[in-house]
Amino acid sequence: MRGPGYLLRGLGLWRTRPGLMLLGMVPALLVLLLVAGTLVVLLLQVGDLVAWATPFADDWATALRAVVRTGLALLLVVGFLVVASMTFTALALTLGDPFYARIWSEIERMLGGEVPEDGPGFWRSAADGLVLAGTGVALGLGVVVLGLLPVVGAVVGVVLGVVVSGWLLAGELLSRPLEARGMDRAARAEVLRRDRGAVLGFGVATQLCFLVPLGAVAVMPAAVAGATMLARDLLDRPGRAPQRGG
């Protein structure tokens, strides 16, 4: 339960540093508008897309053709929403890297000490974002498959999806303050293992906030700030010396 506390500390910056938090909303809002615009286009064109993809149904009875194509249209829209929700964070972190770097550096200064300058850079952030997006798509498909199981499938799928996506989200948010200290993937994983419960609690709390309409826009800058605070506390815990690398 310590993990959600870091998110709350990040949200507290809306009171003390509102300008910084508003700056962090910009990339999340842009990604949200991009997703919403794509969804509108899909809704306007989904009938034509389904008809184009199912020419074999043109000669079917009207009622049967309508049922099949309506079902396919719903499946296409739901699939888009699943993929969009799983890739939102990756897109926001990649496109908004300069904005979130500002928040990260300001939090580092607030916590004291020098701000690490060995940042991941745009292309590394983009590559990590693609990995997170691909993992998110695979996770979304897995949740859909689990949801097909009778009785317990929906519950198991949702719980597992939130837990796994929360862990992945926390790892991605924590990567910037850790990579800035020259840590490679193995070293970052070792730091996260120092308090798995706090990392998981932080990631799940953030993921649940993202599920609220417009929650991701308001919470994303606070999540970046909270991740920086969590990373500093994890680094202060005893553990093996982190290995520097790419």
Side-chain angles (χ1 to χ4, degrees):
M1 296 303 296
R2 290 190 303 276
Y6 291 95
L7 181 60
L8 291 175
R9 290 170 61 187
L11 290 171
L13 292 173
W14 276 107
R15 179 175 56 86
T16 59
R17 300 294 301 275
L20 186 64
M21 293 292 100
L22 285 172
L23 180 67
M25 286 182 61
V26 173
L29 183 60
L30 291 176
V31 173
L32 179 62
L33 292 175
L34 175 63
V35 171
T38 306
L39 177 60
V40 170
V41 173
L42 176 61
L43 291 175
L44 293 175
Q45 300 295 327
V46 67
D48 294 336
L49 287 174
V50 171
W52 171 80
T54 57
F56 52 84
D58 289 342
D59 298 329
W60 291 3
T62 302
L64 179 60
R65 183 173 65 245
V67 168
V68 171
R69 287 181 171 173
T70 300
L72 289 175
L74 290 174
L75 182 62
L76 183 60
V77 173
V78 170
F80 172 82
L81 292 175
V82 170
V83 172
S85 65
M86 293 298 178
T87 57
F88 177 90
T89 302
L91 289 173
L93 289 175
T94 300
L95 297 178
D97 182 69
F99 296 87
Y100 297 128
R102 172 74 178 275
I103 296 176
W104 160 74
S105 60
E106 286 295 324
I107 299 303
E108 290 280 6
R109 293 188 184 94
M110 289 172 57
L111 295 175
E114 296 183 359
V115 178
E117 298 181 355
D118 190 12
F122 174 79
W123 294 112
R124 171 62 66 81
S125 298
D128 289 344
L130 288 175
V131 172
L132 180 63
T135 306
V137 171
L139 176 62
L141 294 176
V143 170
V144 171
V145 172
L146 284 175
L148 299 176
L149 296 176
V151 184
V152 298
V155 175
V156 173
V158 170
V159 172
L160 184 61
V162 171
V163 171
V164 175
S165 61
W167 178 266
L168 294 173
L169 175 60
E172 180 65 19
L173 290 168
L174 286 162
S175 65
R176 167 167 283 282
L178 298 179
E179 282 186 340
R181 290 167 169 82
M183 296 185 186
D184 58 17
R185 190 176 299 275
R188 297 198 302 271
E190 188 277 326
V191 172
L192 267 58
R193 286 195 295 268
R194 295 178 183 180
D195 195 339
R196 292 184 178 90
V199 173
L200 182 60
F202 170 74
V204 169
T206 304
Q207 182 65 29
L208 290 175
C209 290
F210 282 7
L211 296 178
V212 178
L214 298 179
V217 176
V219 173
M220 179 65 84
V224 173
T228 306
M229 300 173 188
L230 176 56
R232 288 284 290 264
D233 285 351
L234 291 174
L235 290 169
D236 289 340
R237 292 174 179 269
R240 293 176 299 173
Q243 300 296 316
R244 299 179 66 87

